[in-house]
Amino acid sequence: MSKVIVVTSGKGGVGKTTSAASIGAALAQTGQKVCVVDFDVGLRNLDLVMGAERRVVYDFINVAQGDAKLAQALIRDKRVETLYLLAASQTRDKDALTDEGVERVIGELRASFDWVLCDSPAGIERGALLAMRFADEAVVVTNPEVSSVRDSDRIIGLLDAKTRRAEAGERMEKRLLLTRFDAGRSSRGEMLSVADVLDILSIPLLGIVPEDQEILRASNVGAPITINGSTSPAARAYRDAARRLMGETIPMAIPDDRKTLFNRLFSRRAA
Amino acid sequence: MSLFRFLKPRGSAPVARERLQILLSHERAAMGPRDLVALLRDELLATIGRHVQIDPDKLVVKMDRATGYSTLEIDVEIPCDTAAPARPQATAA
């Protein structure tokens, strides 16, 4: 049975695209057929993060408007053969996507994929609402920072009101993916703790992704962090999150930046 | 002057937490798009889930409004093997 998951946040720059690509790649590496869909019309970036920016011929809007077949627009990843991308249009404006068009494309994707990950644009406008509208579940990406938590609260409200599931009176499952978490700063009281954010948003936790330099390197080279068997803390956190989505129970480890005394002395200087 | 600075609690996270809690309680009340029943269900799930593993679909929250009063019905099905939650282990001396 296929599952449609929206990766959303309200606030921009918290890691929606990175998370969608990393979790998508991690799911696909288990042999599941995965399609990651970019809903950010006019500001697409998922193609770039996944290293497929030069292979986009047809996009989501072409398919939604019937100008291209879904099979023509799907871009198959060159490294993981069960991973596909449906790019957003870079040249059209946001109103080019309609409710009916999106519903039809999502329906077609459901028929041929195990997982459909909808990478939502930031904000609470049309694009973000369409990305969540036909989803079965939501992953709410949040940074341990006041503006991100506030916007996530708003998005949770919209998930409970504006999705098809919510309108039908069904439960819309929402899980929190806490990104850019710094265990050290949190333990020193400089950053909201995991418990703080969970307490405020009161949705279950899908994963904790630590701040990790490897994330930037991964986007620099266009390879999701989970793709190359990386053992960096963020890659492990994303793999664990993907397995939790698949229903496995994996203990939640708060990623600890275990530093040697030597490293600690050096990093303090920069702080 | 800064000699005693390290004695004061430095963390700003408690301030962030408190500001958010106040702000969001106002915003949730003012905008009210978030269905109260959905909110209650999420918070109950989070609270119960901390102690007992339950199937999220086995938690039913219903609210009925009548003239003059409202009723809130909460129905939780707990699997028998987890009915008695494990207490945190006392640390062996």
Side-chain angles (χ1 to χ4, degrees), chain B residues 12-89:
Chain B
S12 51
V15 182
R17 181 195 162 96
E18 199 185 316
R19 288 177 62 218
L20 271 171
Q21 278 171 332
I22 294 168
L23 174 74
L24 292 181
S25 69
H26 282 279
E27 283 188 348
R28 284 171 188 163
M31 296 192 294
R34 189 166 183 194
D35 182 13
L36 177 64
V37 173
L39 180 70
L40 280 171
R41 179 162 39 199
D42 287 344
E43 295 201 352
L44 285 165
L45 267 179
T47 309
I48 298 170
R50 264 193 290 255
H51 306 284
V52 193
Q53 282 277 332
I54 56 164
D55 179 351
D57 290 319
K58 297 285 163 64
L59 173 71
V60 180
V61 181
K62 273 189 206 154
M63 188 177 271
D64 282 314
R65 287 194 183 86
T67 42
Y69 65 94
S70 302
T71 57
L72 179 66
E73 185 185 327
I74 300 166
D75 186 3
V76 194
E77 189 180 315
I78 296 172
C80 31
D81 51 326
T82 53
R87 298 221 161 263
Q89 296 265 307

Side-chain angles (χ1 to χ4, degrees), chain A residues 242-262:
Chain A
R243 288 170 62 190
R244 289 190 194 103
L245 278 179
M246 293 169 69
E248 288 182 47
T249 309
I250 295 163
M252 196 70 66
I254 294 182
D256 190 6
D257 54 338
R258 265 168 221 274
K259 284 180 181 163
T260 60
L261 180 62
F262 180 80

Side-chain angles (χ1 to χ4, degrees), chain A residues 56-230:
Chain A
V56 181
V57 181
Y58 293 108
D59 57 53
F60 193 179
I61 289 182
N62 296 139
V63 183
Q65 296 189 334
D67 299 330
K69 292 219 169 72
L70 179 60
Q72 292 176 295
L74 287 172
I75 302 166
R76 186 188 203 151
D77 191 88
K78 290 196 162 159
R79 299 147 297 202
V80 185
E81 61 173 21
T82 52
L83 179 61
Y84 290 77
L85 162 73
L86 182 57
S89 170
Q90 185 69 340
T91 50
R92 308 291 288 274
D93 71 293
K94 283 186 173 132
D95 298 327
L97 277 182
T98 62
D99 243 45
E100 300 73 37
V102 173
E103 183 173 19
R104 188 174 55 75
V105 177
I106 296 285
E108 280 183 49
L109 288 167
R110 270 185 200 277
S112 39
F113 288 93
D114 300 309
W115 298 88
V116 180
L117 299 191
C118 305
D119 179 23
S120 172
I124 51 171
E125 310 288 316
R126 187 181 175 72
L129 295 178
L130 278 174
M132 68 171 67
R133 183 138 185 82
F134 305 100
D136 303 316
E137 273 181 44
V139 172
V140 180
V141 183
T142 307
N143 290 168
E145 181 270 326
V146 286
S147 56
S148 174
V149 175
R150 179 198 211 173
D151 292 359
S152 291
D153 188 74
R154 186 77 201 276
I155 277 291
I156 291 169
L158 292 173
L159 286 163
D160 282 335
K162 304 266 180 174
T163 52
R164 269 285 166 86
R165 281 187 83 91
E167 285 174 0
E170 292 171 66
R171 196 172 65 90
M172 179 76 193
E173 190 170 348
K174 306 160 290 283
R175 282 190 275 186
L176 178 75
L177 186 66
L178 194 62
T179 53
R180 306 200 70 164
F181 185 72
D182 185 327
R185 298 200 71 184
S186 176
S187 69
R188 291 194 294 275
E190 297 168 8
M191 180 184 270
L192 288 168
S193 69
V194 178
D196 285 340
V197 181
L198 286 176
D199 202 34
I200 292 166
L201 295 178
S202 57
I203 57 172
L205 187 61
L206 178 68
I208 307 160
V209 182
E211 179 79 63
D212 189 338
Q213 297 187 347
E214 285 296 303
I215 295 274
L216 180 59
R217 199 195 63 80
S219 83
N220 283 344
V221 300
I225 192 166
T226 44
I227 236 166
N228 293 326
S230 161

